[in-house]
Amino acid sequence: DAGVIQSPRHEVTEMGQEVTLRCKPISGHNSLFWYRQTMMRGLELLIYFNNNVPIDDSGMPEDRFSAKMPNASFSTLKIQPSEPRDSAVYFCASSTGTVNTEAFFGQGTRLTVV
Amino acid sequence: QKEVEQNSGPLSVPEGAIASLNCTYSDRGSQSFFWYRQYSGKSPELIMSIYSNGDKEDGRFTAQLNKASQYVSLLIRDSQPSDSATYLCAVLGRYSTLTFGKGTMLLVSP
């Protein structure tokens, strides 16, 4: 199994530009999570999908952030317009969604907004 | 607001010693608890899970859970320099989402 695959691994963009992060979960996993990690705030849950449906998006910081999961094998996290404070490592994780399930993380996308 | 608290460290131990990492959580209804290890620049990887009060051992790792005290710990025996990493405590909440502590950095010196 290839694990959770994220792209790009690194992204540098200018303030105001649109950024799209991509994630392919582990095949057969029906839960997908987007997390953001910073030194100050640690690992924060942004949004959670189950069976492609957004279940909990209370962690999405503001309307500039949006996430989609058009099918079971692909999700995107979009930031438009991007701001320097969005600079962080964004992780995608997936799980089987069953009780006591564990989440498997992708390698992350390091986003720098200048 | 559900919270998971960890001492940020760094926790420094000599090679061969026991490292003890601690975590407290605020949601008394939490039932599942996980320890993730994260090397610098890498993604978190699961090393232990625990669901019942008491101890759970896996090789050099022992997880301990006390739900009455809302306390979870991770013991690493015979610590190795390769154990140097940040250890994240995670608590499973509703909707099967994990809430993470900010992590404790462990440094094992040769």
Side-chain angles (χ1 to χ4, degrees):
Chain A
D1 195 323
V4 177
I5 300 173
Q6 291 186 245
S7 64
R9 292 291 308 277
H10 302 274
E11 177 80 33
V12 180
T13 190
E14 291 186 346
M15 183 174 62
Q17 296 299 305
E18 177 180 297
V19 176
T20 300
L21 311 181
R22 297 172 176 80
C23 175
K24 176 180 169 57
I26 293 172
S27 178
H29 283 190
N30 59 8
S31 294
L32 184 139
F33 311 86
W34 281 100
Y35 284 90
R36 176 173 68 176
Q37 188 173 40
T38 61
M39 289 292 292
M40 289 296 295
R41 301 175 68 87
L43 203 56
E44 304 174 280
L45 177 68
L46 299 177
I47 189 168
Y48 158 54
F49 290 89
N50 184 259
N51 291 324
N52 313 336
V53 176
I55 303 299
D56 183 1
D57 65 355
S58 59
M60 296 286 264
E62 49 197 274
D63 292 344
R64 297 185 297 106
F65 285 70
S66 62
K68 295 182 179 180
M69 191 164 187
N71 56 62
S73 59
F74 184 67
S75 177
T76 60
L77 177 67
K78 184 178 294 186
I79 308 173
Q80 166 64 20
S82 58
E83 297 182 3
R85 60 193 169 116
D86 301 330
S87 297
V89 180
Y90 291 80
F91 287 105
C92 176
S94 71
S95 73
T96 60
T98 55
V99 176
N100 296 333
T101 189
E102 62 193 71
F104 295 85
F105 283 76
Q107 292 303 303
T109 295
R110 181 173 295 278
L111 173 65
T112 303
V113 183
V114 298
Chain B
Q1 178 74 15
K2 299 179 177 59
E3 293 183 349
V4 179
E5 300 289 340
Q6 296 181 255
N7 188 316
S8 63
L11 172 66
S12 296
V13 299
E15 183 175 358
I18 296 175
S20 178
L21 305 163
N22 305 314
C23 169
T24 59
Y25 59 94
S26 63
D27 183 3
R28 187 171 288 279
S30 300
Q31 296 295 319
S32 304
F33 307 87
F34 305 86
W35 284 99
Y36 283 77
R37 177 177 61 199
Q38 186 175 25
Y39 292 112
S40 180
K42 302 295 185 182
S43 59
E45 57 176 333
L46 181 73
I47 54 173
M48 287 288 289
S49 59
I50 187 166
Y51 314 119
S52 304
N53 279 329
D55 296 357
K56 179 181 178 182
E57 186 174 320
D58 183 0
R60 295 187 296 112
F61 298 98
T62 298
Q64 299 175 317
L65 174 61
N66 183 324
K67 291 183 180 179
S69 300
Q70 296 176 241
Y71 179 87
V72 192
S73 66
L74 179 70
L75 300 178
I76 306 175
R77 291 181 299 281
D78 188 23
S79 296
Q80 301 297 309
S82 58
D83 295 326
S84 297
T86 296
Y87 289 80
L88 302 167
C89 175
V91 176
L92 190 68
R94 63 176 181 166
Y95 304 135
S96 297
T97 59
L98 289 172
T99 299
F100 285 84
K102 292 184 179 179
T104 298
M105 181 182 293
L106 173 66
L107 299 175
V108 182
S109 54

